[in-house]
Amino acid sequence: MVNFTINGRELSAPKGTTVLAAAEKAGIPIPHLCFLKDINEIAACRMCMVEVEGTERLVPACNTEILEGMVIQTNSPRVREARKTNLRLILSQHNSNCTVCVRSGNCELQKLSHDMNIHYQPYEVQPERARLDLSVPIVREASKCVKCMRCVQVCDKIQGMHIWDVAGTGSRTTVDVSYNRYLKNTDCTFCGQCVTHCPTGALTVRDDTNKVFWALADPEVTVVVQVAPAVRVAWAESFGLPPKQATAGRMVAALKRIGFDYVFDTNFAADLTIMEEGSEFVERFTHRGRHRWPMFTSCCPGWVKFLKTQYPAYAEHLSTAKSPQQMFGAVAKSYFAERQGLDPRKVFVVSIMPCSAKKAECELPEMNDACGDPDVDAVLTTREMCRLFRSDCIVPADLEEAEFDSPLGTGTGAAVIFGATGGVMDAALRSAYYLVTGKNPDPDAFQAVRGSKPWREATFNIPGAGDVRVAAVSGLGNTRKLMEAIDSGDAEYDFVEVMACPGGCAGGGGQPIHEGMEMAGSRGDKLWKLDAKAELRFSHENPDVQALYRAYLKAPLSERAHHLLHTKQ
């Protein structure tokens, strides 16, 4: 232990502890902007400067270690003046038009300016000229970049994609797409982790709410919305609702108040995905010699793009099953439209997703199997949905709960866990066991694929089929390690689930942003609890899915199911 003094308080901490960590543990706040623990500790912003007795210069608290006998002042006149000067210099290159910024009210730079009593700017403001590219889901507005390097470090260290880098020199130094490329010309998976870790509005997810408002205003268009599993455990964070009010029913009521004609649950499509993907796995597993191994899940578009760009030789290992989002769109514009007597070309399908990559997925040219038009017309993130509520003056806490509509609104516990890492694998194994044996397993028999460990592996026995070696991984950096292990022969699996975002969809790039907090774990835990309390916990027991097969698809992997619910890869 090391003994030291901060603001007159005598404290101690383990050797190697930084001043910032020691102060925070003691309840002494030190402002910072660029810092991300274990990811970005480069002291770029100089906002965490502190005064150390006997040291001529101020030092950054985020990467200065505590030493024996150190005497520190975190808020002396000299420190306050230095921080204000540094902050004003940062603001001199920042577009501070906060009233039209999507991060207003949830911006670290804005909060620092308020906290440090910055009410005038003595320096000339010269923000970098912005060049917006709205053809991709991730939008960079250069005039709001504070060069904190968070996006670079998250993309490099967590996701391993190296999309962002420092560009220019001197006063022209900025952060931009690496190698002087356009984002659309890179291998970016659009996972959105750079967005959720950006402290300002320099990186955002493209806003598509106006497209949805136009559809809602058209009396000739039937607007259908589906809501993904992970959205229900995160949306209420934006409104500060207590757990008793943060329900899916209240979210459904708000969507109906906005004017959607039908509000459906993506859980229905998740169960449908299990029926198709689980059947596909059983078919492959019982005819092993015809296929290459392992089989990969295909629910996450960020992961699918990662595989096709980084390890294209493994593309045929992907399940041909579409994601739940795309299956829902195809069913809505075929089965549902026929059942309701609607022209599928006048059905507008909206997805509410925790994910930014879903915006790119719905725009893929091959995702148009129902009627030739895109199966999903618009994707909104959880954050965009919350902005819809606010722009329509909806107060969710005041609404009575409502039910999802039928016949595409029923889901099981196996579907809701799609939003947590390991959930797709768990759900698939439950139904694969049934498809092989004709009996349900214990729904909690596959707990080895659950948990916060980023790379989990297990072996399960399915009577009549044999041992199934499985793995579940989240985060693209971890995924690359798994792929290298498979490629080198160090790891062998039969079935692998991959989610691009750490912690799965619960930590997706479209979820509410909380500075300095990673929420995927706590949100995922809520999804597992919803599964545990569900009346139905097996996808093959979903009555709406059963009805769909009886009336329309006939059977999993049927000709019509292949046409609507599978890709041609």
Side-chain angles (χ1 to χ4, degrees):
M1 300 295 287
V2 176
N3 301 303
F4 56 95
T5 301
I6 299 183
N7 297 346
R9 292 175 56 186
E10 295 184 358
L11 303 166
S12 61
K15 185 178 180 181
T17 304
T18 65
V19 173
L20 181 62
E24 287 184 345
K25 187 175 181 180
I28 301 171
I30 296 178
H32 52 84
L33 183 62
C34 68
F35 176 79
L36 285 176
K37 183 173 174 55
D38 298 327
I39 299 171
N40 198 43
E41 301 179 351
I42 59 175
C45 68
R46 317 306 280 182
M47 293 307 303
C48 66
M49 306 301 283
V50 295
E51 188 171 3
V52 176
E53 188 177 288
T55 302
E56 182 179 353
R57 297 183 178 182
L58 301 180
V59 300
C62 68
N63 67 358
T64 299
E65 290 187 5
I66 292 286
L67 299 178
E68 181 67 35
M70 187 177 275
V71 178
I72 304 159
Q73 291 292 331
T74 68
N75 205 30
S76 66
R78 183 185 175 196
V79 167
R80 286 199 300 271
E81 192 60 34
R83 285 180 186 155
K84 284 189 174 183
T85 299
N86 291 340
L87 184 54
R88 286 184 175 122
L89 287 170
I90 291 171
L91 291 169
S92 72
Q93 295 184 328
H94 181 76
N95 176 0
S96 298
N97 196 359
C98 297
T99 55
V100 293
C101 179
V102 73
R103 289 294 299 272
S104 183
N106 187 22
C107 169
E108 278 304 291
L109 186 64
Q110 187 183 57
K111 181 179 182 299
L112 275 176
S113 297
H114 288 163
D115 290 349
M116 297 181 65
N117 205 28
I118 302 290
H119 295 305
Y120 73 95
Q121 172 60 283
Y123 305 118
E124 181 182 359
V125 178
Q126 294 181 315
E128 184 180 347
R129 182 176 298 177
R131 181 185 68 240
L132 302 184
D133 182 3
L134 300 180
S135 67
V136 291
I138 304 298
V139 179
R140 180 178 182 271
E141 195 164 349
S143 65
K144 296 177 182 177
C145 179
V146 293
K147 291 82 173 174
C148 69
M149 302 287 288
R150 282 189 182 186
C151 58
V152 178
Q153 302 279 25
V154 166
C155 194
D156 287 359
K157 294 181 179 179
I158 302 300
Q159 299 298 71
M161 292 303 296
H162 311 288
I163 300 300
W164 305 104
D165 204 352
V166 175
T169 59
S171 62
R172 296 182 297 276
T173 300
T174 188
V175 174
D176 205 345
V177 182
S178 57
Y179 303 112
N180 199 31
R181 300 172 293 175
Y182 289 104
L183 191 58
K184 61 185 176 183
N185 297 332
T186 71
D187 292 340
C188 180
T189 63
F190 305 119
C191 68
Q193 291 303 304
C194 56
V195 175
T196 59
H197 290 84
C198 175
T200 68
L203 285 169
T204 57
V205 176
R206 185 187 67 214
D207 188 285
D208 291 322
T209 54
N210 281 337
K211 187 189 298 186
V212 175
F213 274 129
W214 279 111
L216 289 168
D218 190 335
E220 296 185 359
V221 174
T222 299
V223 187
V224 173
V225 63
Q226 60 168 319
V227 187
V231 174
R232 72 202 62 209
V233 293
W235 73 277
E237 295 167 5
S238 298
F239 297 93
L241 295 182
K244 287 186 178 180
Q245 291 184 316
T247 63
R250 195 161 272 109
M251 174 186 66
V252 171
L255 289 168
K256 290 186 174 182
R257 181 70 63 86
I258 285 176
F260 287 102
D261 295 299
Y262 297 93
V263 180
F264 292 130
D265 196 343
T266 308
N267 280 0
F268 162 84
D271 283 328
L272 183 60
T273 300
I274 288 301
M275 293 304 298
E276 293 296 323
E277 191 170 78
S279 297
E280 182 182 12
F281 173 71
V282 169
E283 170 64 22
R284 291 194 192 191
F285 193 71
T286 54
H287 299 85
R288 291 187 61 87
R290 302 178 188 176
H291 305 281
R292 297 177 63 189
W293 298 92
M295 181 176 126
F296 295 118
T297 60
S298 55
C299 297
C300 172
W303 146 243
V304 171
K305 184 173 182 182
F306 174 88
L307 186 72
K308 289 183 175 181
T309 58
Q310 308 298 300
Y311 298 91
Y314 286 87
E316 66 183 71
H317 291 239
L318 283 167
S319 166
T320 62
K322 293 179 180 177
S323 70
Q325 166 179 279
Q326 296 305 135
M327 284 195 183
F328 177 91
V331 170
K333 291 192 176 183
S334 56
Y335 167 72
F336 176 73
E338 286 184 25
R339 177 170 168 157
Q340 301 299 117
L342 301 171
D343 180 353
R345 294 183 180 276
K346 291 187 177 181
V347 174
F348 192 91
V349 176
V350 179
S351 298
I352 310 295
M353 294 285 142
C355 172
S356 47
K358 289 292 182 184
K359 289 178 180 278
E361 181 185 45
C362 77
E363 295 170 351
L364 293 173
E366 62 266 28
M367 298 297 182
N368 63 349
D369 292 319
C371 65
D373 290 345
D375 293 330
V376 175
D377 298 284
V379 174
L380 303 183
T381 63
T382 310
R383 295 193 298 273
E384 285 173 279
M385 180 184 75
C386 294
R387 294 203 294 272
L388 276 184
F389 293 167
R390 284 201 167 90
S391 65
D392 238 28
C393 302
I394 292 174
V395 182
D398 295 340
L399 300 179
E400 293 292 328
E401 294 190 27
E403 297 292 329
F404 286 104
D405 290 313
S406 183
L408 312 181
T410 302
T412 68
V416 78
I417 55 177
F418 264 57
T421 178
V424 175
M425 178 62 66
D426 196 313
L429 289 171
R430 295 180 197 181
S431 288
Y433 189 102
Y434 171 82
L435 292 170
V436 171
T437 67
K439 299 178 181 179
N440 284 340
D442 179 345
D444 296 313
F446 308 106
Q447 293 192 46
V449 297
R450 306 178 188 178
S452 59
K453 188 178 178 182
W455 177 358
R456 300 171 301 287
E457 51 189 13
T459 300
F460 301 105
N461 182 265
I462 298 180
D467 289 341
V468 181
R469 300 164 299 176
V470 303
V473 64
S474 70
L476 291 178
N478 299 315
T479 301
R480 192 179 296 278
K481 295 175 183 176
L482 176 138
M483 290 303 301
E484 289 173 354
I486 292 174
D487 202 36
S488 66
D490 292 336
E492 293 186 7
Y493 306 110
D494 300 304
F495 200 8
V496 178
E497 177 209 302
V498 181
M499 293 293 171
C501 294
C505 303
Q511 295 281 62
I513 298 172
H514 302 280
E515 174 61 28
M517 300 174 64
E518 301 293 344
M519 302 292 292
S522 59
R523 293 169 183 157
D525 288 343
K526 293 177 183 177
L527 292 171
W528 290 111
K529 290 177 182 177
L530 289 174
D531 166 47
K533 294 187 294 184
E535 183 178 345
L536 300 176
R537 299 188 65 188
F538 298 93
S539 294
H540 52 270
E541 294 182 348
N542 184 319
D544 283 350
V545 171
Q546 292 174 346
L548 172 65
Y549 279 110
R550 285 195 302 267
Y552 198 71
L553 297 177
K554 305 307 180 187
L557 306 183
S558 67
E559 183 177 351
R560 178 172 277 177
H562 262 292
H563 173 69
L564 290 174
L565 309 180
H566 292 256
T567 61
K568 299 173 180 61
Q569 64 186 18

